[in-house]
Amino acid sequence: MSDSKISEEILYRGRVLDLARETHRMPDNREAEFEVVRHSGGAAALPILADGRLILIRQFRPAIGDHILEIPAGRLEAGEDAAACVARELQEEIGYRPGSLEKLGEIYSTVGFSNELIHLYLARELEPVERALEPDEFIELQVMSLDEALQLVKSGALRDAKTCVTLLHYKLLSEK
């Protein structure tokens, strides 16, 4: 519990998230109520092929009712290490096992209403394995160069936040 939180009432418990109503003491000493989505967090990785091309995925996302271009990612299971989570997701979603994972950092996805923390990685030395999509996953692989991916960010065609941040991190690293 943070220093500002006075109380919390769980309004909904779900498989993926919980919804809480929280009362916090604000910096001016007033009390205010907030609805907060509680999430176990996630891990995501930018897969980089031996020739330098990237693997993004085009996936149907019911929350937006459309397909979106993004990097492979998944929800952390209770007690799961973020690197293990992302390695599992890479196998399931794109059919590759990473030989190396380089942690880029962590981001909060939407701090206005959620505590979801996403761990970001680069995945290299990819070894092909059998894909194991979950029954509700519809994923197409999209292989492209970093410049092509960044052009999609620039044009607004790539709008997934974790993917934009990871691509920008990778671009900055590649300039060193």
Side-chain angles (χ1 to χ4, degrees):
M1 185 181 280
S2 71
D3 292 338
S4 71
K5 191 186 310 180
I6 297 168
S7 66
E8 174 182 74
E9 174 190 4
I10 302 297
L11 303 175
Y12 172 80
R13 284 202 192 278
R15 181 180 64 83
V16 175
L17 59 87
D18 295 338
L19 177 62
R21 179 181 298 121
E22 299 180 354
T23 303
H24 286 260
R25 183 155 322 279
M26 304 307 289
D28 66 359
N29 217 28
R30 288 180 304 117
E31 290 184 11
E33 274 192 358
F34 299 90
E35 293 168 351
V36 179
V37 172
R38 295 279 165 218
H39 190 278
S40 61
L46 177 62
I48 305 167
L49 294 166
D51 65 5
R53 291 179 304 150
L54 314 174
I55 302 174
L56 300 181
I57 61 175
R58 183 174 179 270
Q59 182 169 200
F60 180 72
R61 293 296 196 173
I64 62 169
D66 202 356
H67 290 83
I68 193 161
L69 196 59
E70 61 184 306
I71 58 177
R75 182 173 45 90
L76 291 170
E77 301 294 337
E80 185 178 29
D81 174 73
C85 173
V86 82
R88 171 177 45 82
E89 291 296 328
L90 289 166
Q91 282 189 249
E92 289 176 6
E93 294 183 356
I94 66 168
Y96 283 95
R97 178 181 299 121
S100 74
L101 288 171
E102 177 184 344
K103 185 141 187 197
L104 294 175
E106 302 167 348
I107 60 169
Y108 287 105
S109 63
T110 47
V111 296
F113 62 86
S114 176
N115 72 337
E116 180 188 30
L117 180 69
I118 303 173
H119 303 264
L120 304 176
Y121 292 87
L122 296 178
R124 301 179 198 263
E125 301 169 25
L126 302 175
E127 176 189 332
V129 294
E130 190 173 333
R131 281 172 83 186
L133 294 176
E134 294 184 27
D136 62 350
E137 288 182 317
F138 297 90
I139 294 174
E140 300 170 28
L141 304 188
Q142 305 283 309
V143 178
M144 65 189 68
S145 69
L146 176 59
D147 286 341
E148 289 169 322
L150 291 171
Q151 186 57 44
L152 292 172
V153 172
K154 185 176 180 182
S155 73
L158 199 161
R159 300 182 292 171
D160 177 66
K162 70 184 174 303
T163 303
C164 292
V165 170
T166 303
L167 288 168
L168 294 173
H169 265 286
Y170 181 50
K171 172 68 173 169
L172 291 171
L173 284 174
S174 67
E175 292 177 348
K176 289 183 177 181

